């Protein structure tokens, strides 16, 4: 459990840094637009990319804390034994989704944008760096759900 706690702390810290950067970025945008009279050219794009990273990494963080939104009407109608099996089945489905779509699909997306050397319009950074959050978050979700399954079976 020590590794999970370390990953939680690193991920939480990264989310705090991303959100802080987003706030500073938007404040700079407001300052340059209304005080200086000429809006900054990169802030809109940077805010968008920071929001993407915050949203996708935030989903992994919430999955790790098991605080994601869930509809639990169906499981409540069953006894504890069936509820445990249903919970395990849902976790396996999440693992399969995260592996196939987020990890494998995300790696393919990062590779394609890296090979094509696609750059963002204003910041001129490789879009592969922006998309890199998808496989990272997918791996984190897989890790969290596997540890959930292993901890529930003990």
């Amino acid at each position: 459990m020590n590794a999970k706690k370390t990953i939680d702390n690193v991920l939480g810290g990264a989310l705090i840094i991303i959100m802080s950067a987003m706030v500073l970025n938007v404040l700079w945008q407001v300052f340059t637009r209304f005080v200086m009279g000429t809006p900054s050219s990169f802030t809109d794009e940077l805010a968008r990319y920071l929001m993407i990273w915050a949203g996708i990494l935030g989903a992994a963080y919430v999955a790790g804390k098991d605080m994601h939104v869930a509809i639990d009407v169906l499981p409540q109608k069953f006894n504890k034994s069936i509820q445990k099996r249903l919970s395990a089945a849902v976790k396996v489905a999440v693992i399969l989704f995260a592996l196939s779509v987020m990890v494998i699909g995300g790696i393919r997306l990062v590779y394609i944008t890296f090979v094509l050397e696609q750059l963002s319009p204003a910041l001129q950074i490789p879009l592969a760096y922006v998309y890199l959050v998808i496989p990272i978050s997918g791996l984190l979700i897989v890790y969290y759900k596997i540890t959930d399954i292993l901890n529930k079976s003990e």
Side-chain angles (χ1 to χ4, degrees):
M1 287 313 287
N2 195 16
K4 184 180 184 298
K5 185 169 270 206
T6 302
I7 291 172
D8 285 343
N9 290 339
V10 169
L11 189 53
L15 287 167
I16 289 170
I17 291 169
I18 290 169
M19 291 300 291
S20 300
M22 196 180 329
V23 168
L24 293 174
N25 180 57
V26 171
L27 286 174
W28 178 253
Q29 169 68 12
V30 170
F31 176 77
T32 58
R33 178 175 301 224
F34 293 109
V35 175
M36 297 175 74
T38 54
S40 180
S41 61
F42 71 90
T43 52
D44 182 45
E45 188 173 289
L46 181 59
R48 188 176 321 124
Y49 296 153
L50 289 172
M51 181 68 82
I52 290 169
W53 272 70
I56 296 176
L57 282 179
Y61 183 77
V62 168
K65 295 288 185 181
D66 211 18
M67 297 185 333
H68 47 78
V69 177
I71 300 172
D72 61 352
V73 175
L74 183 64
Q76 288 181 354
K77 296 186 184 285
F78 299 115
N79 61 30
K80 290 286 184 194
S81 173
I82 295 176
Q83 285 179 3
K84 285 182 182 181
R85 282 190 247 145
L86 189 58
S87 175
V90 167
K91 287 175 181 151
V92 168
V94 169
I95 290 169
L96 292 174
F97 173 82
L99 270 176
S100 62
V101 175
M102 296 180 78
V103 177
I104 296 170
I107 288 171
R108 292 174 97 181
L109 177 64
V110 169
Y111 176 75
I112 289 169
T113 54
F114 186 75
V115 167
L116 294 177
E117 298 177 356
Q118 292 181 338
L119 301 175
S120 66
L123 294 171
Q124 292 297 302
I125 60 171
L127 283 177
Y129 295 155
V130 175
Y131 298 143
L132 190 61
V133 71
I134 298 169
I136 291 171
S137 182
L139 287 172
L140 288 169
I141 290 171
V142 168
Y143 170 76
Y144 282 134
K145 292 304 158 190
I146 288 174
T147 56
D148 284 350
I149 290 172
L150 293 177
N151 289 336
K152 299 291 187 215
S153 65
E154 292 175 351

